Amino acid sequence: MPRFHVLSNADLHCHSTVSDGTLAPEAVAARAAAQGVELWALTDHDEVSGIARARAAAQAHGMPFLAGVEISVSFAGQVVHIVGLGVDETDAQLVEGLRATRGGREQRAREMAAGLAAVGIPGAYEGALKHVGNPDLISRTHFARFLVESGVCNDIPEVFRRFLKEGKPGYVEHRWAALGDAVRWIREAGGVAVIAHPARYAFSPTAEFALFSEFKTHGGQGVEVVTGSHSDAEAVRYTDMALEFELLASRGSDFHSPAESRTELGSLPPLSAKLRPVWELLEARVS
């Protein structure tokens, strides 16, 4: 039997202060180990600079680790996230691709702040920066934390609903990586590309089919079936999609913060026994 199997408590999607999480990589590692995670990956947005720290912390806790990243992609007019698992975080093409993807975030953030100022919320850029661990990765989440902290909204979902979704005052579109490029960077860095939390995208059935088809054509190999934002019914739906498209199945909480995340590290239900877990393909990449 492989070292890791379908019932393993793997958590292969979470974030640290290197992107938009609130805990340092070492603290996320400690929390994952305390929650009984048997295989862990740090997958910060468009950034791999926390991987060495995460790997060292995981090893200190005796917890098997996979290097990961979550890449922002533009597809059919929406932002889609592609997780790369088992990547070589020093791969020059991956590092340069991520740098290019991060480019433009500062200008976007200033435009978001201007939109919020126009509706009576001044100082949002400076307020958001107080919540940023890595200024290159300032994001809507950092603005959301500022708006909650300043009492404009009660919680982060309310911020997005009122101010940061498309058509709202603080929304500014950003052109992310192309799907094919993101998958290629991951594959050529020795990793496996996975569609993150597919139920979160507001695609029609036709557009979703196109996403899965194009993803597989480019060499994508996996999909998150069990994740923090999926209901039980959605997990069943994407179990069927994984089987239909012959994709490996992944599992991850998408943990960002003890105060904000709806799902704790390591607390997800197991994958269906009908699926082949992505980690079976990545055993050689575990450190």
Side-chain angles (χ1 to χ4, degrees):
M1 172 180 272
R3 180 183 176 193
F4 304 103
H5 51 83
V6 73
L7 296 179
S8 295
N9 190 1
D11 199 321
L12 305 183
H13 186 166
C14 66
H15 301 275
S16 75
T17 50
V18 170
S19 63
D20 60 347
T22 62
L23 301 180
E26 295 84 354
V28 185
R31 195 176 186 94
Q35 290 297 125
V37 172
E38 297 171 312
L39 175 63
W40 177 57
L42 182 69
T43 57
D44 276 313
H45 290 286
D46 305 313
E47 180 62 272
V48 290
S49 63
I51 294 298
R53 293 165 59 189
R55 180 184 291 111
Q59 289 173 344
H61 289 283
M63 180 172 58
F65 177 77
L66 282 168
V69 65
E70 185 174 14
I71 304 179
S72 307
V73 166
S74 296
F75 185 85
Q78 290 198 50
V79 179
V80 170
H81 291 157
I82 303 297
V83 167
L85 296 173
V87 296
D88 172 4
E89 74 275 14
T90 68
D91 180 83
Q93 182 176 238
L94 174 65
V95 170
E96 174 56 25
L98 296 177
R99 186 202 62 75
T101 300
R102 294 194 301 271
R105 277 186 184 258
E106 180 185 358
Q107 180 58 34
R108 176 187 183 232
R110 291 189 181 278
E111 292 176 17
M112 290 167 62
L116 292 169
V119 294
I121 306 172
Y125 179 75
E126 293 76 12
L129 274 181
K130 292 191 298 182
H131 296 274
V132 176
N134 180 351
D136 288 342
L137 286 169
I138 188 169
S139 71
R140 291 187 299 169
T141 301
H142 300 118
F143 280 87
R145 288 177 184 146
F146 163 69
L147 292 178
V148 172
E149 176 189 63
S150 58
V152 175
C153 295
N154 292 317
D155 54 34
I156 284 179
E158 182 187 350
V159 177
F160 276 83
R161 191 167 59 249
R162 291 177 56 193
F163 295 105
L164 298 180
K165 292 178 70 173
E166 187 171 1
K168 300 301 181 180
Y171 178 82
V172 177
E173 186 176 3
H174 183 89
R175 183 68 185 174
W176 304 107
L179 176 62
D181 288 340
V183 174
R184 176 169 51 82
W185 300 337
I186 292 165
R187 287 176 58 84
E188 294 187 4
V192 172
V194 175
I195 298 173
H197 41 59
R200 279 181 44 182
Y201 312 125
F203 285 134
S204 67
T206 300
E208 182 178 70
F209 188 89
L211 169 65
F212 275 70
S213 299
E214 185 171 329
F215 173 74
K216 188 160 185 187
T217 297
H218 287 303
Q221 294 173 277
V223 60
E224 278 184 356
V225 172
V226 175
T227 185
S229 57
H230 281 186
S231 66
D232 291 345
E234 288 165 344
V236 170
R237 168 170 166 70
Y238 290 102
T239 291
D240 292 341
M241 291 284 280
L243 294 170
E244 178 182 355
F245 283 88
E246 298 181 331
L247 293 171
L248 301 166
S250 193
R251 175 183 189 270
S253 59
D254 198 9
F255 178 85
H256 284 73
S257 164
E260 298 167 5
S261 297
R262 71 174 77 180
T263 304
E264 178 61 84
L265 286 154
S267 66
L268 294 168
L271 294 173
S272 166
K274 296 185 289 186
L275 298 169
R276 184 186 179 198
V278 66
W279 48 87
E280 283 190 5
L281 193 65
L282 290 165
E283 295 230 12
R285 307 291 294 178
V286 175
S287 58

